[in-house]
């Protein structure tokens, strides 16, 4: 949304003064001549920015927005020189569905080039916080609709109001069939030209069109010729310093804005004036793109266009957690669906797309940012719940189909452990098991080869005789194959049995031993073969995290300390209120708060701190008051897993505060690297940015990675890793366009009386983040192994099986999904910024044919397959998508 309607003459005068000071414009420069010395042209591009949902619900904005399309069609009929631009499938599809009598007219103007469709997405999404696969589903839904319903190929990227843009967008856009990208926010400074080539971290370039004064700069002109003349002279003079030619573009459309009735006649009248200093031409984006392409070489701008509005990374944090959770759920459903198809049990693609649609809609830039009013927030959560119900059912039914084909015969209760990632991994499993055997008091676990596996009971229900009825079993599954599974077996024994088993009932389980508590001492520790973590048992702070394998202390002070700071900002801005015209990347540092600047969780004590030890994991837990709320944290170390997992809960009873968790590291003079979709980028220290699964701070010889689940606000400053957990905020004042109504509540965003759970993890390591495999670690933390019990039965599949093996550790296979044409899609990317020239992907199924594809899964170059193996090369951070025909399981 614009949230900012400038007084054009005044704002242009102000900016021109700034440009004169910067040496970018001269008061003596000829007013009507462009940078190339030719008489200028303003390309007036009328459009409307449909909001999706933010101050009104989706349906309310459709009620406002659909008549706008009717008016645009009316003006196109009455004025042969008039043109208009529309975007977002979620806006256009309801129009065609509800006004079928207008579809022929709509198609006619599209075919004539007078009505241009841009964007090619379901909505205008947030670019930074959702994962890369969410953006790809946006394009698949949007471009798929425009292709199938209207026969139109969208090639103009259009994210005018999105709050920043990560550095893999040029490659993603090109792979999605886009030739250009129009945007408003995120450039580094005023020296950036309005048209340039944007180069991403893999080297891909795309034509970029930056809108220095936003997407409504030419909207709102007076309806009389003298005022119209003055208005557009000011627009031209304001935009000219940013242009590199005599043609200048001015977009004319605000939030849910109507086409301007006076424009066609006044443009014609203005252009007839003998003293007109330039011409005004009504056009569409592709026409201006063609003009710019003819200029020849353009300036190249590299890297990302971030950050903008840093408060959004933790406002209404539950929205971000929903997004991450559903991304993982729906991509897991796709993976199991691909295996289901291979097994001969067709996957329900219709339900999959029904689940993705509200999920992608609710990634609209305002919704994902959490800046909506309460009624829209409630509507958004209902959409997430709908997607979750469908996703859960798809996962359940597809997993059942897979399990039904596995040979699970043998003693005990079969446990099938599925790995949703494209590499073998060792990770924790937690699963509920029901037991009907009378008098069962002990359990054991065996792996796929029959060897005993340590287990730990984390919960148990008993029958009246003391026998186990239902238990929660935790263990570490080792080397579970890529996109595959391993079968474990739970064995139970009654009191009469002489065999020694590991999990027992009766008081404290022998599998979980009490460690230190405040009843005995003030400090305690937990450890595995990789780390030893020490705690103040009273306050909850981690006082030491020693890396045993590399012999170094990774912390420089108390860690896992939550700081609660006063933050009087609104949803958009940290510590301040929104300025909707902000379009330059923010550089203000937000360093760790010092004493007196915040309240800290370590300042209050509780008597519950204790450690527990067990054969599978050891953990520390504590809970105590935190201001008027409550703080609790559980830190866990699993045997065989190089990761320190933390689950922190906060009950917030304060208004206008923010919570950050702090980890002072022993690294000095390091670099901060953040994960972005399909890659990573080094970022300035001290500035909060949106990260995907992880951030790493290291000096090349050692470092510490901080992993997260749905907590995008990441920062490192003063050698301290910081993770924004949540903010208590609301809309403070709003006097702008976009459907906002005074008095509509946003107070649920204050989060008062709500308890939140946050998941994050630390990974101290030697070497840099690449050597430490941090990209894999982030995916693994966000994609737990999936376990289910099964009945014993025969089946054609063995007890330990995976779909594929990838030769290079830095090449990650993250996508396995069924294509609409029945083929199987596999997507991989290079994750470490190092070219991989000889990648081999060996499949454990018969590959009939293979072809390279784009992100839309179109047919591409045929590939040779030898011994069910694909061989190809990847550049640094390159993404490749393949479509395969697999021979069904016989």
């Amino acid at each position: 949304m614009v949230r900012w309607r400038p007084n054009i003459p005044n704002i242009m005068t102000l900016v021109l003064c700034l440009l004169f000071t910067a040496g970018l414009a001269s008061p003596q420069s000829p007013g009507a001549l462009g940078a190339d010395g030719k008489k200028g042209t303003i390309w007036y591009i009328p459009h409307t920015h449909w909001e999706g949902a933010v101050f009104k619900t989706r349906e309310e904005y459709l009620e406002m927005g659909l008549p706008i399309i009717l008016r645009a069609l009316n003006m196109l009929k009455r004025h042969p020189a008039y043109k208009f631009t529309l975007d977002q499938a979620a806006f256009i599809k309801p129009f065609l569905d509800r006004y079928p009598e207008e579809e022929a007219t709509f198609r006619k103007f599209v075919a004539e080039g007078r009505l241009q469709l841009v964007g090619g997405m379901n909505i205008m999404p947030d670019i930074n916080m959702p994962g890369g696969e969410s953006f790809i589903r946006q394009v698949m839904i949007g471009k798929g609709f425009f292709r199938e319903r209207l026969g139109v190929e969208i090639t103009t990227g259009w994210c005018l109001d999105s709050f920043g843009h990560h550095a893999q967008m040029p490659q993603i856009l090109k792979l999605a069939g886009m030739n250009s990208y129009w945007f408003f926010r995120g450039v580094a400074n005023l020296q950036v030209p309005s048209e340039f080539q944007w180069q991403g971290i893999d080297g891909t370039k795309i034509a970029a069109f930056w809108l220095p004064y936003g997407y409504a700069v030419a909207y709102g002109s007076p309806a009389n010729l003298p005022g119209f003349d003055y208005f557009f002279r000011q627009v031209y003079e304001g935009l000219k310093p940013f242009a590199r030619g005599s043609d200048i573009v001015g977009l004319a459309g605000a939030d849910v804005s109507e086409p301007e009735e006076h424009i066609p006649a006044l443009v014609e009248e203005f252009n007839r004036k003998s003293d007109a200093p330039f011409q005004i031409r009504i056009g569409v984006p592709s026409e201006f793109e063609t003009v710019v392409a003819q200029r020849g070489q353009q300036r190249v701008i590299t890297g990302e266009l971030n950050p903008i509005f840093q408060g959004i990374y933790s406002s209404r944090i539950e929205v971000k957690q929903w997004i991450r959770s559903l991304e993982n759920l729906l991509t897991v459903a796709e993976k199991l669906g691909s295996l289901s198809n291979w097994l001969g049990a067709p996957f329900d693609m219709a339900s999959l797309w029904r689940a993705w649609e509200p999920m992608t809609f609710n990634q609209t830039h305002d919704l994902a940012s959490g800046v909506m009013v309460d009624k829209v927030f409630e509507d958004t959560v209902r959409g997430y719940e709908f997607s979750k119900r469908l996703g859960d059912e798809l996962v359940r039914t597809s997993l059942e189909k897979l399990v039904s084909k596995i040979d699970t015969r043998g003693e005990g209760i079969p446990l099938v452990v599925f790995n949703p990632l494209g590499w073998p991994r060792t990770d924790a499993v937690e699963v509920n098991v029901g037991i009907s055997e009378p008098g069962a008091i002990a359990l054991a676990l065996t792996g796929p080869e029959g060897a005993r596996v340590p287990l730990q009971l984390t919960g148990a229900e008993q029958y009246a005789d003391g026998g186990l009825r239902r238990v929660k079993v935790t263990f570490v599954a080792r080397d579970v194959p890529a996109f595959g599974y391993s079968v474990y077996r739970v064995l139970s024994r009654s009191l009469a049995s002489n065999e020694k088993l590991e999990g027992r009932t009766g008081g404290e389980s022998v599998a979980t031993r009490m460690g230190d508590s405040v009843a005995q001492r003030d400090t305690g520790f937990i450890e595995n073969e990789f780390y030893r973590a020490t705690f103040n048992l009273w306050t909850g702070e981690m006082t030491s995290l020693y890396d045993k394998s590399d012999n170094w202390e990774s912390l420089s002070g108390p860690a896992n300390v939550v700081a609660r700071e006063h933050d009087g900002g609104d949803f958009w801005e940290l510590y301040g209120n929104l300025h909707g015209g902000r379009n330059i990347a923010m550089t203000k540092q937000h360093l760790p708060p010092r004493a007196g600047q915040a309240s800290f969780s370590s300042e209050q004590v509780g008597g519950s701190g204790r450690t527990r030890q067990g054969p599978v994991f050891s953990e520390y837990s504590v809970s105590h008051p935190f201001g008027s709320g409550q703080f609790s944290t559980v830190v866990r170390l699993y045997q065989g897993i190089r990761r320190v997992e933390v689950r922190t809960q906060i009950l917030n009873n304060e208004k206008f505060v923010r919570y950050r968790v702090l980890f002072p590291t022993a690294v000095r003079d390091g670099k901060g690297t953040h994960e972005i979709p399909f890659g990573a980028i080094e970022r300035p220290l001290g500035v909060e940015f949106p990260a995907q699964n992880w951030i790493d701070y290291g000096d090349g010889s050692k470092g510490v990675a901080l992993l997260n689940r749905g907590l995008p606000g990441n920062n490192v400053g003063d050698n301290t890793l910081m993770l924004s957990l949540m903010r208590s905020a609301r809309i403070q004042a709003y006097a702008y366009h976009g459907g906002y109504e005074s008095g509509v509540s946003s107070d649920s965003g204050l989060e008062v009386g709500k308890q939140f759970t946050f998941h994050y993890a630390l990974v101290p390591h030697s070497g840099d983040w690449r050597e430490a495999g941090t990209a894999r670690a982030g995916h693994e933390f966000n994609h737990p192994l999936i376990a289910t019990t099964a009945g014993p039965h025969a089946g054609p599949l063995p007890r330990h099986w995976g779909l594929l093996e990838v030769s290079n550790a830095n090449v990650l296979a993250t996508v396995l999904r069924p294509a609409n044409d029945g083929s199987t899609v596999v997507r991989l990317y290079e994750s470490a910024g190092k070219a991989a020239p000889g990648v081999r992907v060996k499949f454990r199924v018969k590959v009939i044919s293979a072809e390279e594809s784009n992100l839309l899964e179109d047919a591409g170059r045929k590939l040779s397959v030898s011994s069910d193996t694909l061989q190809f090369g990847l550049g640094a951070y390159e993404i490749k998508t393949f479509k395969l025909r697999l021979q069904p399981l016989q």
Side-chain angles (χ1 to χ4, degrees):
M1 73 195 62
V2 173
R3 301 183 207 72
W4 178 66
R5 285 291 298 131
N7 180 311
I8 294 294
N10 290 343
I11 196 69
M12 293 298 182
T13 300
L14 173 62
V15 174
L16 282 170
C17 289
L18 294 172
L19 293 169
F20 296 152
T21 303
L24 296 174
S26 167
Q28 288 77 41
S29 60
L33 299 182
D36 54 7
K38 299 178 181 178
K39 185 175 181 179
T41 299
I42 290 184
W43 287 81
Y44 172 93
I45 298 182
H47 73 103
T48 188
H49 175 45
W50 183 66
E51 290 284 24
V54 57
F55 302 136
K56 295 181 180 294
T57 65
R58 180 177 189 171
E59 186 56 37
E60 287 173 332
Y61 271 132
L62 286 174
E63 286 297 312
M64 289 177 64
L66 298 187
I68 295 172
I69 302 179
L70 285 173
R71 181 167 179 175
L73 295 178
N74 175 270
M75 290 185 66
L76 289 165
K77 288 178 179 180
R78 291 187 292 112
H79 303 286
Y82 189 70
K83 298 179 181 180
F84 203 75
T85 297
L86 288 170
D87 71 313
Q88 304 179 78
F91 182 32
I92 296 169
K93 183 180 185 297
F95 176 81
L96 298 177
D97 290 345
R98 299 180 192 188
Y99 296 94
E101 68 277 9
E102 296 293 338
E103 183 164 340
T105 299
F106 193 96
R107 286 173 169 273
K108 172 181 178 291
F109 289 129
V110 170
E112 291 175 356
R114 295 177 57 206
L115 176 59
Q116 184 173 351
L117 306 179
V118 297
M121 287 172 274
N122 193 33
I123 44 79
M124 187 180 293
D126 181 83
I127 304 300
N128 289 304
M129 292 181 286
E133 289 301 325
S134 283
F135 186 87
I136 292 169
R137 300 309 178 280
Q138 291 282 357
V139 176
M140 294 180 73
I141 291 173
K143 292 193 78 167
F145 165 75
F146 291 120
R147 283 177 170 185
E148 294 164 15
R149 182 73 173 263
L150 297 169
V152 175
E153 187 66 31
I154 308 298
T155 60
T156 296
W158 194 260
C159 286
L160 305 185
D161 197 28
S162 298
F163 306 152
H165 315 265
H166 64 77
Q168 271 285 42
M169 281 297 286
Q171 181 182 190
I172 294 172
L173 289 163
K174 280 296 186 74
L175 290 174
M178 302 295 185
N179 297 328
S180 63
Y181 192 56
W182 294 64
F183 71 100
F184 171 35
R185 308 182 193 273
V187 299
N189 51 56
L190 289 172
Q191 283 74 40
V192 174
S194 52
E195 301 92 39
F196 59 89
Q197 288 287 311
W198 183 21
Q199 180 173 305
I201 55 175
D202 74 311
T204 299
K205 298 175 185 175
I206 194 165
F209 296 83
W210 172 49
L211 308 171
Y213 299 116
Y215 47 84
V217 65
Y219 189 77
S221 59
N224 60 81
L225 185 59
F228 185 88
D229 183 304
Y230 180 72
F231 179 94
F232 275 96
R233 286 175 189 260
Q234 295 298 309
V235 171
Y236 187 87
E237 287 301 315
L239 292 173
K240 186 174 66 175
F242 299 98
R244 293 300 178 262
S246 54
D247 290 82
I248 292 172
V249 68
L251 266 62
D255 299 344
V256 205
S257 62
E258 295 271 0
E260 297 178 288
E261 184 67 39
H262 65 279
I263 287 295
L266 283 181
V267 165
E268 186 177 346
E269 194 172 350
F270 177 89
N271 288 340
R272 286 200 304 265
K273 291 178 59 175
S274 60
D275 63 341
F278 48 81
Q279 294 287 290
I280 301 175
R281 183 169 176 178
I282 302 174
V284 293
S286 60
E287 293 178 309
F288 185 71
E289 292 172 11
T290 300
V291 170
V292 172
Q294 293 170 351
R295 292 177 185 167
Q297 189 170 2
Q298 292 179 299
R299 181 176 167 185
V300 176
I301 304 291
T302 61
E304 66 179 334
L305 306 169
N306 276 316
I308 292 288
F309 302 146
Q310 293 146 303
I312 66 173
Y313 307 148
S314 47
S315 293
R316 294 198 190 269
I317 192 62
E318 54 266 64
V319 171
K320 287 73 171 171
Q321 294 175 311
W322 265 112
I323 288 173
R324 183 57 46 81
S325 174
L326 288 175
E327 284 173 338
N328 296 342
L329 174 66
L330 297 184
T331 54
V332 166
E334 292 175 342
K335 293 162 185 174
L336 287 165
S338 294
L339 296 178
S340 183
N341 282 348
W342 171 66
L343 294 170
F347 180 63
D348 185 355
M349 288 294 289
S351 291
L352 175 68
W353 285 118
R354 286 180 65 216
W356 270 115
E357 199 286 329
M359 166 62 168
T360 56
F361 180 87
N362 286 325
Q363 290 173 17
T364 301
H365 54 286
D366 293 311
L367 299 187
S369 299
V371 302
M372 69 284 268
V373 298
D374 292 344
K375 66 178 179 179
V376 175
F377 171 72
E378 294 161 5
D379 204 41
T380 297
V381 171
R382 285 191 289 270
Y384 290 142
E385 291 170 342
F386 174 80
S387 294
K388 184 178 187 302
R389 287 193 297 271
L390 283 177
D392 284 340
E393 180 64 14
L394 289 169
V395 168
R396 184 187 65 79
T397 55
S398 293
L399 190 58
E400 287 176 353
K401 293 171 185 175
L402 173 63
V403 169
S404 72
K405 300 293 185 180
I406 301 171
D407 186 347
T408 58
R409 292 172 295 180
E411 184 185 8
I413 301 170
L415 280 180
V416 178
V417 178
F418 177 72
N419 175 14
L421 294 176
W423 54 89
R425 58 190 282 216
T426 295
D427 219 322
V429 175
E430 196 167 71
V431 63
N432 291 311
V433 179
I435 299 168
S436 61
E437 180 181 342
I441 64 164
L443 301 178
L445 186 70
T446 60
E449 306 303 323
R452 285 291 176 86
V453 175
L455 66 84
Q456 199 162 328
L457 302 187
T458 51
E461 296 177 8
Q462 296 170 272
Y463 294 103
D465 64 359
L468 294 170
R469 180 173 70 174
R470 190 168 61 174
V471 297
K472 181 176 287 186
V473 175
T474 302
F475 63 97
V476 173
R478 297 183 180 273
D479 301 317
V480 184
F483 297 144
Y485 61 85
S486 295
V487 178
Y488 289 75
R489 314 194 74 81
V490 177
L491 310 175
S492 62
R493 289 290 182 269
S494 67
L495 187 62
S497 173
N498 293 322
E499 186 174 1
K500 181 180 178 182
L501 299 180
E502 293 179 70
R504 300 175 60 124
T505 61
E508 188 74 14
S509 166
V510 299
T512 305
R513 304 184 306 276
M514 286 295 296
D516 300 312
S517 75
V518 293
Q520 293 87 32
R521 55 195 304 167
D522 296 328
T523 64
F525 70 90
I526 60 175
E527 65 182 331
N528 64 7
E529 64 266 47
F530 301 113
Y531 305 119
R532 179 185 174 106
T534 306
F535 302 89
N536 181 320
L537 293 178
W538 290 95
T539 64
E541 65 197 70
M542 185 186 299
T543 57
S544 171
L545 181 55
Y546 189 75
D547 188 333
K548 295 159 68 173
S549 54
D550 296 310
N551 298 311
W552 71 291
E553 171 59 53
S554 63
L555 300 179
S556 63
N560 197 32
V561 172
V562 174
R564 187 184 68 246
E565 306 163 72
H566 175 72
D567 179 357
D570 59 16
F571 284 143
W572 293 269
E573 300 275 21
L574 295 171
Y575 313 112
N577 289 330
L578 170 74
H579 187 293
R582 178 67 188 233
N583 65 342
I584 304 299
M586 295 174 167
T587 58
K588 184 178 179 180
Q589 293 191 329
H590 297 106
L591 298 174
R594 305 303 180 193
Q597 297 176 326
S599 298
F600 299 92
S601 61
S602 55
E603 294 172 342
Q604 295 185 257
V605 300
S608 65
R610 62 179 178 176
T611 62
R612 298 179 179 86
Q613 311 294 332
V616 177
F617 66 85
S618 58
E619 72 176 21
Y620 164 74
S621 63
V622 71
S623 181
H624 59 67
F626 189 16
S628 60
Q630 191 78 11
F631 162 85
S632 63
T633 192
V634 177
V635 183
R636 185 175 285 189
L637 281 171
Y638 290 94
Q639 296 298 319
I641 300 175
R642 194 179 177 92
R643 184 173 69 222
V644 185
E645 293 194 10
V646 187
R647 183 182 75 250
T648 293
Q649 290 185 318
I650 291 174
L651 171 62
N652 175 60
N653 283 318
E654 308 284 342
K655 293 181 179 180
F656 305 112
V657 294
R658 71 180 301 211
Y659 294 85
R660 290 191 285 173
V661 63
L662 313 176
F663 295 93
T665 76
V667 177
R668 294 294 178 267
D669 301 319
K671 296 179 179 180
T673 304
H674 298 224
E675 186 185 38
I676 62 175
F678 304 108
I681 190 169
E682 183 182 335
R683 285 169 162 165
L685 300 179
V687 181
E688 184 160 325
F689 281 89
Q692 288 284 305
N693 296 326
W694 57 268
I695 179 177
D696 187 276
Y697 183 57
D699 61 10
S701 63
K702 61 184 180 301
V704 182
L706 176 58
L707 318 179
N708 77 83
R709 287 183 189 162
L711 303 172
N714 285 250
N715 189 2
V716 57
D718 290 348
N719 307 309
T720 298
L721 288 162
M722 294 168 275
L723 185 63
S724 287
L725 300 181
M726 60 167 286
R727 298 177 71 226
S728 167
R730 67 183 178 195
I731 298 171
Q732 306 282 46
Y734 201 96
Y736 310 108
H737 295 274
Y740 182 70
E741 298 168 342
S742 179
V744 175
S745 174
S746 62
D747 282 1
S748 68
L750 293 170
E751 312 288 24
V752 173
K754 297 181 184 179
Q755 180 168 286
F756 293 88
T757 301
F758 308 103
H759 296 270
Y760 47 92
L762 282 180
V763 185
H765 58 81
S766 61
D768 68 6
W769 63 271
R770 298 172 179 86
E771 298 170 81
T774 304
R776 283 192 174 195
H779 282 291
E780 290 170 3
F781 183 61
N782 276 273
H783 291 85
L785 295 172
I786 299 169
T788 183
T789 55
H793 52 69
L797 292 176
R799 300 173 187 180
H800 182 77
W801 178 89
L803 178 68
L804 54 77
E805 296 175 3
V806 180
S807 60
N808 300 54
N810 60 323
V811 175
L812 304 187
T814 54
V815 171
L816 174 70
R817 53 171 276 110
N820 292 331
D821 64 3
S823 61
T824 299
V825 173
V826 176
R827 185 154 36 250
L828 310 95
Y829 74 97
E830 196 289 311
S831 64
K834 296 180 179 180
V839 181
R840 290 170 54 87
V841 180
K842 171 67 176 177
F843 290 88
R844 298 302 177 187
V845 298
K846 179 65 177 176
V847 180
I848 299 171
S849 64
E851 59 189 17
E852 194 168 343
S853 183
N854 57 19
L855 299 182
L856 299 172
E857 301 173 4
D858 295 327
R861 179 173 62 94
K862 301 293 184 183
L863 302 173
S864 63
V865 179
S866 177
S867 301
D868 302 315
T869 300
L870 282 179
Q871 189 162 352
F872 55 92
L874 282 174
Y877 296 125
E878 185 178 4
I879 306 163
K880 278 191 182 293
T881 303
F882 301 99
K883 291 181 71 173
L884 311 171
R885 293 284 178 183
L886 306 180
Q887 181 173 301
L889 179 68
Q890 302 299 318

